[in-house]
Amino acid sequence: MITVNDLSKNLELLKKQNPLVHNITNMVVTNVTANALLAIGASPIMAYAKEEIEDIVSISNSLVLNIGTLTKDLIDVMLFAGSCANKKGIPVIFDPVGAGASCLRNDASKEIIANVKLSIIRGNESEIANLSGIKLKTKGVDSSGHVEDKKTLAKELSLKTSSVICVSGKEDIISDGFTAYSVSNGDVLLTKMTGAGCISSSVMGAFASIDNNYLKASLTGAVLIGICGERAALKSRLSGSFQLEFFNNLSAFDSNMLLKYAKIEKI
Amino acid sequence: MITVNDLSKNLELLKKQNPLVHNITNMVVTNVTANALLAIGASPIMAYAKEEIEDIVSISNSLVLNIGTLTKDLIDVMLFAGSCANKKGIPVIFDPVGAGASCLRNDASKEIIANVKLSIIRGNESEIANLSGIKLKTKGVDSSGHVEDKKTLAKELSLKTSSVICVSGKEDIISDGFTAYSVSNGDVLLTKMTGAGCISSSVMGAFASIDNNYLKASLTGAVLIGICGERAALKSRLSGSFQLEFFNNLSAFDSNMLLKYAKIEKI
Amino acid sequence: MITVNDLSKNLELLKKQNPLVHNITNMVVTNVTANALLAIGASPIMAYAKEEIEDIVSISNSLVLNIGTLTKDLIDVMLFAGSCANKKGIPVIFDPVGAGASCLRNDASKEIIANVKLSIIRGNESEIANLSGIKLKTKGVDSSGHVEDKKTLAKELSLKTSSVICVSGKEDIISDGFTAYSVSNGDVLLTKMTGAGCISSSVMGAFASIDNNYLKASLTGAVLIGICGERAALKSRLSGSFQLEFFNNLSAFDSNMLLKYAKIEKI
């Protein structure tokens, strides 16, 4: 049974260890992802050239693969980075942005899942459903359509991929195939700020690097993002101010906030 | 005769339909463009790989081509995306960022205009003049130099290209070749925030997807951006705060604001 | 002897001349770099395609090369842009982001230094040490490890490369090989905002275009960024607000602020 106290310990460990997270991510979110990692006490590096992947993985503590603005070449780079990370034994997080929106993304997702040992896969409902072979209507990179039973969805894909699955949404559902948790933190405004999901994946990458219980690491990340989103929404529901408050909360986030606001439940 | 009431209806339609706008844009503005589209009630997708263009266009409601950080490969992708969009019948908006600054941009602009049926072309004075064969001094991506008669400039290029032409500036001049309108909303600070023009083009892309009167769609976008710029400037003339207030206004923008502040005129 | 009065004159010259700075930079910082240049009164252009490099350099007043998200192709583009800029006689600034983190970055740095006449090289302690052949532990793009004598480090690399060297850090050390200055402005929060160093390099590029005393130009840039960072930190130590205040200060920065707060010292 994972408790909020466990998550709180992760937070303190992260700030102490300041892990380096290697992101191969999309070009929409590079800046905000880097700032988010810095704000929570991790260090970001973005590196995409195949020629330096091995070097960068060798100094990194986790790797995040995000297919938001995918190209053929990037698939190749991601597969190679994944294999380097697996060889080194650092966690790999996969964010299948827009899975379901194109064959390129679907095929790349399958290839990455088949060839890279992934610690965590995080996506919205459409994306995770599509990875599971359920053809859900997709609206580009935003979720649309609904799965009846998200817990079963997460559990089954988890068993199939041997990865922790996180289905982001109004409630985040996270499962390691055996147990499942829900996180009820968050606010709908997170879906109106581009990159909230991508940031979440990279933050999970930071926690996975200091906690090899990836279910717990994912939960810590989901709770952190959710709380920062809901605290920001209390300050402002306007686009610019919400984003500013979200980053303010990321940098102010501490054990007290986590213990006070976290809403996790074993389901 | 287009009235502010017509523009107001567009705004409500947009929020109801939540169109998906496919952006092939430059790497400077991806994040702010996505956030701007989300703020006004549309959905953004950025997708650049030729292999997925057809799939992405097939789920999108409009396409925006922006050559701000052009490469040879991207020209090819844009031409292909344009032809897919034309085949599907969704509007294509073209933003010739930096036209006049390099042969690559000039030639790409000509090729795109020659091969893609464009609904709207939006640029600053230098860019539109250069597309019209008038060699105006250009300062990179910012306008410099002046054309005497912007209305004639817009009208003639409109007739030549069969596209609505929007010349952004202190006053925006918009023409479909037969009639022309001016929009006097805006503030000079919009030229000090990178991407204001690019955002404007993508916002016009959102409106074009719900209104096939592209003159009216462009006007709605120009008025929205102009008003948000001038409201933001009233709050702060400093770089960071202006940008924040601009996005706040985008997300708060409604029919009341439009009806109260819009300054359009048939010219 | 350089005085704060000299720096203040640079500031006024910049606002009068509004130079165009051509940036070949990394994809994490494009947006903030463009906004920073606009805020201080310069104009940015980002252009990466080899086919347009010559045209863009021909209208630009300085060139900034930044290897933060390097690829093989970009090295080639940077070398070509550097040679065009040298031929035209405009200053070239080099930011060796992440030097030490990969062979690709190390080799590219060496190649750029060997083939392009650089006016200014700006990096953090790890990066400058690595360029100097001192293997300092690097944490990706963030500095770690320390050199005993940064003044000697800067002087020696300056003589070796015939460039002004700026070692950013708690104190910035800047040398032209003969004299050296320290700048004690700044705040540790600048290291928690992604792109602060990259922005600094581009701002130095702006000043180098109006002052061919590159030691003085670098000092002006370092002082400006340092003061804006420390003024922002006084307003807020939270991630979102700090970044907003930093940009507000960039756009409000004037001679009075410079004369009041600048802390430079000949060392």
Side-chain angles (χ1 to χ4, degrees):
Chain A
M1 179 81 179
I2 297 170
T3 67
V4 288
N5 272 314
D6 298 323
L7 310 188
S8 161
K9 274 174 208 155
N10 268 349
L11 196 64
E12 281 161 32
L13 213 53
L14 179 83
K15 287 178 196 293
K16 211 174 291 167
Q17 296 195 7
N18 182 231
L20 182 62
V21 181
H22 178 188
N23 301 274
I24 302 182
T25 188
N26 70 73
M27 67 176 79
V28 182
V29 303
T30 44
N31 190 268
V32 289
T33 301
N35 273 328
L37 287 169
L38 287 167
I40 64 165
S43 281
I45 188 162
M46 274 67 181
Y48 303 77
K50 197 169 183 185
E51 293 83 4
E52 70 171 347
I53 289 295
E54 207 166 350
D55 288 347
I56 301 298
V57 168
S58 80
I59 57 169
S60 298
N61 303 107
S62 60
L63 170 69
V64 180
L65 306 176
N66 174 312
I67 62 168
T69 50
L70 197 61
T71 60
K72 272 270 180 199
D73 286 349
L74 263 183
I75 300 174
D76 191 38
V77 169
M78 288 186 187
L79 289 169
F80 181 61
S83 83
C84 293
N86 284 167
K87 218 173 287 171
K88 191 190 166 192
I90 59 172
V92 183
I93 286 73
F94 178 47
D95 188 333
V97 180
S102 76
C103 289
L104 183 74
R105 296 182 195 223
N106 296 349
D107 293 348
S109 297
K110 275 181 211 153
E111 212 177 338
I112 288 169
I113 289 172
N115 290 288
V116 182
K117 187 177 158 26
L118 300 167
S119 308
I120 303 168
I121 304 175
R122 193 216 61 82
N124 62 35
E125 207 171 330
S126 297
E127 289 156 357
I128 298 297
N130 270 286
L131 296 191
S132 306
I134 302 166
K135 286 221 183 307
L136 215 58
K137 216 186 122 206
T138 175
K139 184 152 197 174
V141 295
D142 298 321
S143 194
S144 66
H146 288 291
V147 174
E148 289 247 337
D149 179 359
K150 290 197 283 183
K151 182 180 156 187
T152 304
L153 174 74
K155 276 198 169 181
E156 287 180 354
L157 188 62
S158 180
L159 290 171
K160 215 169 93 182
T161 59
S162 303
S163 315
V164 166
I165 303 295
C166 174
V167 188
S168 294
K170 194 170 178 319
E171 280 198 322
D172 300 327
I173 305 297
I174 306 180
S175 175
D176 65 355
F178 304 98
T179 55
Y181 286 80
S182 72
V183 176
S184 310
N185 297 107
D187 188 283
V188 70
L189 285 186
L190 284 169
T191 66
K192 299 294 172 195
M193 178 178 81
T194 198
C198 307
I199 289 172
S200 190
S201 296
S202 288
V203 164
M204 288 178 186
F207 285 111
S209 75
I210 54 107
D211 181 5
N212 61 15
N213 177 339
Y214 300 130
L215 180 59
K216 188 146 56 77
S218 307
L219 270 167
T220 316
V223 160
L224 189 161
I225 296 298
I227 293 176
C228 290
E230 70 193 36
R231 303 307 299 165
L234 287 174
K235 284 287 195 81
S236 176
R237 300 199 72 78
L238 299 173
S239 171
S241 296
F242 174 79
Q243 176 154 343
L244 176 134
E245 295 292 345
F246 176 74
F247 278 92
N248 279 355
N249 274 282
L250 284 181
S251 63
F253 198 81
D254 61 11
S255 296
N256 287 338
M257 280 176 73
L258 193 150
L259 296 172
K260 191 167 174 187
Y261 299 116
K263 293 186 209 150
I264 67 170
E265 201 183 344
K266 195 163 184 299
I267 55 174
Chain B
M1 178 82 179
I2 298 171
T3 67
V4 289
N5 271 314
D6 297 324
L7 311 188
S8 162
K9 275 174 207 154
N10 268 348
L11 196 64
E12 281 161 32
L13 213 54
L14 180 84
K15 287 178 195 293
K16 212 173 291 168
Q17 297 195 6
N18 182 231
L20 182 62
V21 181
H22 178 188
N23 301 275
I24 302 181
T25 187
N26 70 72
M27 66 176 80
V28 181
V29 303
T30 43
N31 190 269
V32 289
T33 301
N35 274 327
L37 287 170
L38 287 166
I40 63 164
S43 281
I45 189 162
M46 275 66 183
Y48 304 77
K50 197 167 182 185
E51 292 83 6
E52 68 171 348
I53 288 295
E54 207 166 351
D55 288 348
I56 301 299
V57 168
S58 80
I59 57 168
S60 298
N61 302 107
S62 60
L63 171 69
V64 180
L65 306 176
N66 175 311
I67 62 169
T69 51
L70 198 61
T71 60
K72 272 270 180 201
D73 286 349
L74 263 182
I75 300 174
D76 190 38
V77 169
M78 288 186 188
L79 289 169
F80 181 61
S83 83
C84 292
N86 284 169
K87 219 174 286 169
K88 191 191 166 193
I90 59 171
V92 184
I93 285 74
F94 179 46
D95 189 332
V97 181
S102 76
C103 290
L104 183 74
R105 296 183 195 223
N106 295 349
D107 294 348
S109 297
K110 274 181 211 152
E111 214 178 338
I112 288 168
I113 289 172
N115 290 288
V116 182
K117 187 178 158 25
L118 301 167
S119 307
I120 303 169
I121 304 175
R122 193 216 62 81
N124 62 35
E125 207 170 329
S126 297
E127 290 156 356
I128 299 297
N130 271 285
L131 295 191
S132 307
I134 301 166
K135 287 223 181 306
L136 214 59
K137 215 186 124 208
T138 175
K139 185 153 198 176
V141 296
D142 298 321
S143 193
S144 65
H146 288 291
V147 174
E148 287 247 337
D149 180 359
K150 290 197 283 183
K151 182 181 157 188
T152 304
L153 175 72
K155 276 197 169 181
E156 287 180 355
L157 189 61
S158 180
L159 291 172
K160 215 169 93 183
T161 59
S162 304
S163 313
V164 166
I165 303 296
C166 175
V167 188
S168 294
K170 195 171 177 320
E171 279 198 325
D172 300 329
I173 305 297
I174 306 181
S175 175
D176 64 355
F178 303 98
T179 54
Y181 285 80
S182 72
V183 177
S184 311
N185 297 108
D187 189 282
V188 69
L189 285 185
L190 284 169
T191 67
K192 299 295 173 195
M193 177 179 82
T194 199
C198 307
I199 288 171
S200 189
S201 297
S202 287
V203 164
M204 289 178 185
F207 286 111
S209 76
I210 54 106
D211 181 5
N212 61 15
N213 178 337
Y214 300 131
L215 180 60
K216 186 145 59 76
S218 307
L219 270 167
T220 315
V223 161
L224 189 160
I225 296 298
I227 293 175
C228 290
E230 69 193 36
R231 302 308 299 163
L234 287 174
K235 284 288 194 80
S236 175
R237 301 200 70 79
L238 298 173
S239 171
S241 295
F242 174 78
Q243 177 155 342
L244 175 133
E245 294 292 345
F246 176 74
F247 278 92
N248 279 355
N249 274 281
L250 284 181
S251 63
F253 198 80
D254 60 12
S255 296
N256 287 338
M257 281 175 72
L258 193 151
L259 295 173
K260 190 166 173 189
Y261 298 117
K263 295 186 208 149
I264 66 170
E265 200 182 345
K266 195 165 184 298
I267 55 173
Chain C
M1 179 81 178
I2 298 170
T3 66
V4 288
N5 272 314
D6 298 323
L7 310 188
S8 161
K9 275 174 206 153
N10 268 350
L11 197 64
E12 282 162 32
L13 213 54
L14 180 83
K15 287 178 197 292
K16 212 173 292 168
Q17 296 195 7
N18 181 232
L20 181 63
V21 182
H22 178 187
N23 301 275
I24 302 182
T25 188
N26 69 73
M27 65 176 80
V28 181
V29 304
T30 44
N31 190 269
V32 288
T33 301
N35 274 328
L37 288 170
L38 286 167
I40 64 165
S43 281
I45 189 162
M46 275 65 183
Y48 303 76
K50 197 168 183 186
E51 292 82 5
E52 69 171 348
I53 289 294
E54 208 166 350
D55 287 348
I56 301 298
V57 168
S58 80
I59 57 168
S60 298
N61 303 107
S62 61
L63 170 69
V64 180
L65 306 176
N66 175 311
I67 62 169
T69 50
L70 197 61
T71 60
K72 273 269 179 202
D73 286 348
L74 263 183
I75 300 174
D76 191 38
V77 170
M78 287 186 187
L79 290 169
F80 180 61
S83 83
C84 293
N86 284 169
K87 218 173 289 170
K88 190 189 167 192
I90 58 171
V92 183
I93 286 73
F94 178 47
D95 188 332
V97 180
S102 77
C103 290
L104 183 74
R105 295 181 195 223
N106 295 349
D107 294 347
S109 297
K110 274 181 211 153
E111 213 179 337
I112 287 168
I113 289 172
N115 290 288
V116 182
K117 186 178 160 25
L118 300 168
S119 307
I120 303 168
I121 304 174
R122 194 216 60 81
N124 62 34
E125 208 171 329
S126 297
E127 290 157 355
I128 299 297
N130 270 286
L131 296 191
S132 306
I134 302 165
K135 286 220 183 308
L136 213 58
K137 215 186 124 207
T138 176
K139 186 153 197 174
V141 295
D142 298 322
S143 194
S144 66
H146 289 291
V147 174
E148 289 247 336
D149 180 359
K150 291 197 281 182
K151 181 181 156 187
T152 304
L153 175 73
K155 277 198 169 182
E156 287 181 355
L157 188 62
S158 180
L159 290 171
K160 215 168 94 183
T161 58
S162 304
S163 314
V164 166
I165 302 296
C166 175
V167 188
S168 294
K170 195 170 177 319
E171 279 199 325
D172 300 328
I173 306 297
I174 306 181
S175 175
D176 64 356
F178 304 98
T179 54
Y181 285 80
S182 72
V183 176
S184 311
N185 297 107
D187 189 282
V188 69
L189 286 186
L190 284 169
T191 66
K192 299 294 171 196
M193 177 178 82
T194 198
C198 307
I199 288 172
S200 190
S201 297
S202 287
V203 164
M204 288 178 186
F207 285 112
S209 75
I210 53 108
D211 182 3
N212 62 16
N213 177 337
Y214 300 130
L215 180 58
K216 187 146 58 77
S218 307
L219 270 167
T220 316
V223 161
L224 189 160
I225 296 298
I227 292 175
C228 290
E230 71 193 34
R231 302 308 298 164
L234 287 174
K235 284 287 194 81
S236 175
R237 300 199 70 79
L238 298 173
S239 171
S241 296
F242 174 78
Q243 176 154 343
L244 176 132
E245 294 291 345
F246 176 73
F247 278 92
N248 279 354
N249 274 281
L250 285 181
S251 62
F253 198 80
D254 61 11
S255 296
N256 287 339
M257 281 175 72
L258 193 150
L259 295 173
K260 190 167 175 190
Y261 298 116
K263 295 186 207 150
I264 68 170
E265 201 182 343
K266 194 164 184 298
I267 54 173

